[in-house]
Amino acid sequence: MEFKLLDLIVFITYGLVIIGIGLWVSRGKGKTSEDYFLASKSLPWWAIGASLIAANISAEQFIGMSGSGFALGLAIASYEWMAALTLIIVGKFFLPIFIEKKLYTIPEFIEVRYSKNLKTILAVFWICLFIFVNLTSVLYLGATALDTIIGDGDGSIFMASIIGLALFAAAYSLYGGLSAVAWTDVVQVVLLVAGGLITTIIALGHVSDDGNIFSGMVKVYNEVPEKFSMILDKGEIITPNGKDAWWDLPGLAVLVGGMWVANLYYWGFNQYIIQRTLAAKSLKESQKGIVLAGFLKLLIPLITVIPGIIAFVMNTDAGGNIVTGVTDASFFGGNGQVINDNAAPWLIKEFVPTGLKGLVLAALAAAIVSSLASMLNSTATIFTMDIYKPFFHKEGGSEQRLVNVGRMTAAVSLVIAIIIAPQLKNLGQVFQYIQEYTGVVSPGILAVFMLGLFWRKTTNKAAIWGVLISIPIALYFKVGPNGWIDSPFFITWPFMHQMMATWILTMLIMIGISYAETGGKIQEKSIKLTKGLFKTGRVFNIGSIIIIIILALLYALFW
């Protein structure tokens, strides 16, 4: 099924509606930095919850997670389901402190708790991370998907897709700031969930013998029951390319191990995620938005992981093998490797009918563009508020200048990302590139934040050493076992175990340095925690309990 005129009309209509909403909600705003960077601190809970998910779900979920579903099965859904529990922890224990300190940015907390120098170092790091990793990878994956679905997958519209997605995100986010980003996200998240469900439903109808989606789900489960295992043992699932899936998702580590490092860092201390919670009308409003996002995270695997498993069933022989003549040719790379990430684009291209295909493509674009817009706004916020304002914005400088600097920063960041994104073709697995790059630095940063929040004796020197020393520790685990260094001191561990070990060792070193420096004295800049600070409302408490019960049932069912 090719991309027809009706699909194009649906897609263009979606684009015009989003740009129109973005420009309309930001009319008359943007006069102050609070208007532009924190949406005038006026966001209601439902906008916060929707915006959190829209910022989070991008091409790496729609494409990368479906590909992981194709290769690994439902176990990859732990990234989504454990995120729901992580969100509850963030809402309960992190947000009250951030909002009480009236923060604009996450690096600003580092200055409040530690020092201006460390804040500047981390601000520069996050700007580089957003531009060179996040923005570029989202543009690359999004353009690759569009090239597969609309084009022939030969790269003919790849560069045009990169530029088109970038201009789409810039069209409303550069002018309107966080207001435009958050309010358009409300529409975007409805569209991306609806588009994802359409793909899943149509795929289940095609895989079943009678066209019934429920019998289709039963058939998928009966044919590949191993793909519905959540806690993997060694050798339980071997991917189409011959890798033991345990190395990506090592058993109980998804519940009590290294996944917590990735999730706490991402959901608690990631500027483009946490920024919309800082823009809430109140703490309780922000916490209710967190609960909504938690419920949506429980739903996401249905639209990202299940389609990958369905595509696997439809492209394997009776023995569950990927073979020429049964498997679609698009799943084979030039070097004979199986292209797992082609699962979602293949389903959309082959089975979604004209008209709906335009809607599903709009959903994919919504996921990509909403993430791009969020990253652009957060990059601009950190540069403007943490670098430009303290060093270059003299007393008496206008608020409008800060807004203009933010817009210019976002524009420059986008141009750099457009130039670099095509180069990611040479990396092979882009999703792995994202995880491994952030996984080297996230344990150290998480250690700095966790001890800064909850251990009053942590010193500034310990925090600086923690950030610096965590990287060689992470590299110790990463490169040594892979043959770079032949030594009995190196143990081959899965990536999640490496992150957990790096985090624990970094915190122990920071504790040791703090005691050596001050003898265990409480620091003047430490956070004074009170019992009332973590008191939460009824809606948050009830919602959190329901999410925890659902999670327990899901893991009990698919253990």
Side-chain angles (χ1 to χ4, degrees):
M1 295 184 184
E2 297 178 356
F3 199 72
K4 301 291 186 180
L5 178 61
L6 180 59
D7 297 311
L8 186 62
I9 292 173
V10 171
F11 186 74
I12 291 175
T13 301
Y14 146 74
L16 293 175
V17 168
I18 292 299
I19 293 173
I21 291 173
L23 296 177
W24 184 77
V25 298
S26 56
R27 71 196 188 288
K29 296 183 179 181
K31 295 180 181 178
T32 69
S33 55
E34 185 175 284
D35 291 336
Y36 189 78
F37 298 117
L38 288 183
S40 307
K41 290 192 175 181
S42 61
L43 296 183
W45 65 271
W46 46 274
I48 292 168
S51 190
L52 280 168
I53 298 303
N56 166 241
I57 301 300
S58 186
E60 64 186 83
Q61 273 77 21
F62 261 107
I63 307 303
M65 196 157 279
S66 291
S68 294
F70 185 93
L72 308 176
L74 191 63
I76 197 68
S78 282
Y79 275 102
E80 303 301 314
W81 287 345
M82 292 306 293
L85 184 56
T86 307
L87 280 164
I88 293 172
I89 293 172
V90 170
K92 176 76 174 178
F93 298 109
F94 299 173
L95 270 187
I97 299 173
F98 293 160
I99 290 180
E100 183 194 46
K101 298 298 180 184
K102 299 179 180 179
L103 302 181
Y104 272 72
T105 69
I106 288 298
E108 194 177 347
F109 171 80
I110 296 296
E111 181 177 12
V112 170
R113 176 59 180 87
Y114 294 113
S115 68
K116 184 176 180 179
N117 288 339
L118 183 56
K119 179 198 77 168
T120 304
I121 291 170
L122 289 180
V124 171
F125 158 75
W126 267 306
I127 290 171
C128 292
L129 180 68
F130 286 158
I131 296 174
F132 296 104
V133 178
N134 296 118
L135 282 170
T136 53
S137 59
V138 169
L139 278 174
Y140 170 78
L141 287 172
T144 300
L146 293 181
D147 184 57
T148 301
I149 297 168
I150 301 177
D152 296 321
D154 57 358
S156 57
I157 63 168
F158 175 77
M159 198 63 209
S161 297
I162 286 180
I163 295 172
L165 289 169
L167 292 177
F168 189 175
Y172 66 91
S173 65
L174 262 63
Y175 173 75
L178 188 60
S179 289
V181 173
W183 288 109
T184 53
D185 279 350
V186 175
V187 179
Q188 307 259 48
V189 80
V190 172
L191 188 59
L192 69 88
V193 170
L197 287 174
I198 286 171
T199 304
T200 302
I201 290 169
I202 291 175
L204 284 172
H206 276 84
V207 79
S208 67
D209 297 323
D210 57 3
N212 184 280
I213 61 173
F214 297 105
S215 59
M217 193 71 242
V218 171
K219 181 179 179 180
V220 170
Y221 181 82
N222 288 335
E223 289 202 13
V224 285
E226 70 279 3
K227 292 281 187 181
F228 288 85
S229 176
M230 290 297 300
I231 308 298
L232 302 182
D233 295 323
K234 266 191 175 182
E236 183 176 354
I237 293 181
I238 305 300
T239 70
N241 286 317
K243 182 181 180 181
D244 188 344
W246 181 85
W247 288 98
D248 292 320
L249 298 164
L252 287 173
V254 300
L255 293 181
V256 295
M259 187 168 284
W260 280 106
V261 178
N263 275 349
L264 286 172
Y265 166 77
Y266 181 86
W267 291 102
F269 310 112
N270 187 338
Q271 178 67 26
Y272 81 83
I273 291 296
I274 210 72
Q275 187 167 343
R276 52 259 306 128
T277 65
L278 302 178
K281 292 179 179 179
S282 65
L283 173 59
K284 285 190 175 181
E285 202 78 359
S286 186
Q287 288 171 329
K288 286 191 285 186
I290 285 275
V291 169
L292 172 61
F295 278 110
L296 289 173
K297 290 303 283 183
L298 298 177
L299 178 66
I300 295 302
L302 186 61
I303 65 177
T304 57
V305 182
I306 297 299
I309 301 175
I310 298 169
F312 180 83
V313 170
M314 298 176 80
N315 283 278
T316 51
D317 62 15
N321 302 305
I322 302 288
V323 293
T324 305
V326 176
T327 307
D328 189 87
S330 64
F331 283 95
F332 296 103
N335 57 359
Q337 290 283 94
V338 177
I339 307 174
N340 303 311
D341 287 350
N342 199 42
W346 177 78
L347 284 174
I348 294 169
K349 189 168 187 175
E350 292 296 320
F351 301 111
V352 178
T354 299
L356 282 179
K357 184 174 288 185
L359 185 64
V360 170
L361 192 65
L364 176 60
I368 298 165
V369 170
S370 59
S371 294
L372 286 174
S374 296
M375 293 169 187
L376 286 172
N377 186 256
S378 294
T379 304
T381 304
I382 290 178
F383 179 82
T384 305
M385 304 307 293
D386 294 319
I387 295 178
Y388 178 81
K389 185 177 181 179
F391 291 105
F392 305 105
H393 191 64
K394 297 179 180 179
E395 287 293 329
S398 69
E399 284 282 299
Q400 187 60 50
R401 179 181 294 178
L402 293 177
V403 173
N404 290 339
V405 168
R407 288 170 175 157
M408 189 178 299
T409 301
V412 171
S413 301
L414 194 57
V415 171
I416 295 173
I418 290 172
I419 294 171
I420 296 175
Q423 311 308 315
L424 298 191
K425 283 184 177 181
N426 302 321
L427 291 175
Q429 297 186 48
V430 178
F431 186 74
Q432 191 68 15
Y433 158 71
I434 301 168
Q435 301 305 316
E436 292 195 8
Y437 183 92
T438 55
V440 169
V441 295
S442 58
I445 294 175
L446 180 62
V448 167
F449 273 98
M450 293 299 283
L451 289 179
L453 283 168
F454 303 114
W455 195 56
R456 299 187 64 190
K457 299 175 183 179
T458 313
T459 65
N460 178 59
K461 183 181 288 187
I464 293 174
W465 275 106
V467 170
L468 296 176
I469 207 166
S470 66
I471 296 176
I473 291 174
L475 292 175
Y476 168 91
F477 289 117
K478 182 175 175 57
V479 303
N482 294 327
W484 289 42
I485 302 172
D486 185 15
S487 168
F489 294 103
F490 288 98
I491 304 171
T492 303
W493 276 351
F495 189 58
M496 282 191 186
H497 292 354
Q498 295 175 24
M499 284 197 298
M500 192 69 175
T502 302
W503 179 47
I504 292 172
L505 285 173
T506 302
M507 286 198 295
L508 290 175
I509 291 171
M510 288 176 62
I511 290 170
I513 292 172
S514 297
Y515 270 109
E517 185 181 359
T518 68
K521 292 182 180 179
I522 293 176
Q523 298 299 293
E524 184 180 349
K525 282 191 164 187
S526 63
I527 307 298
K528 296 178 182 179
L529 305 178
T530 61
K531 188 176 181 180
L533 184 63
F534 301 119
K535 186 177 181 181
T536 48
R538 181 179 296 179
V539 172
F540 179 85
N541 293 337
I542 294 173
S544 299
I545 291 171
I546 294 173
I547 287 173
I548 292 170
I549 291 172
I550 293 173
L551 279 173
L553 292 173
L554 286 170
Y555 276 95
L557 181 63
F558 296 111
W559 189 276

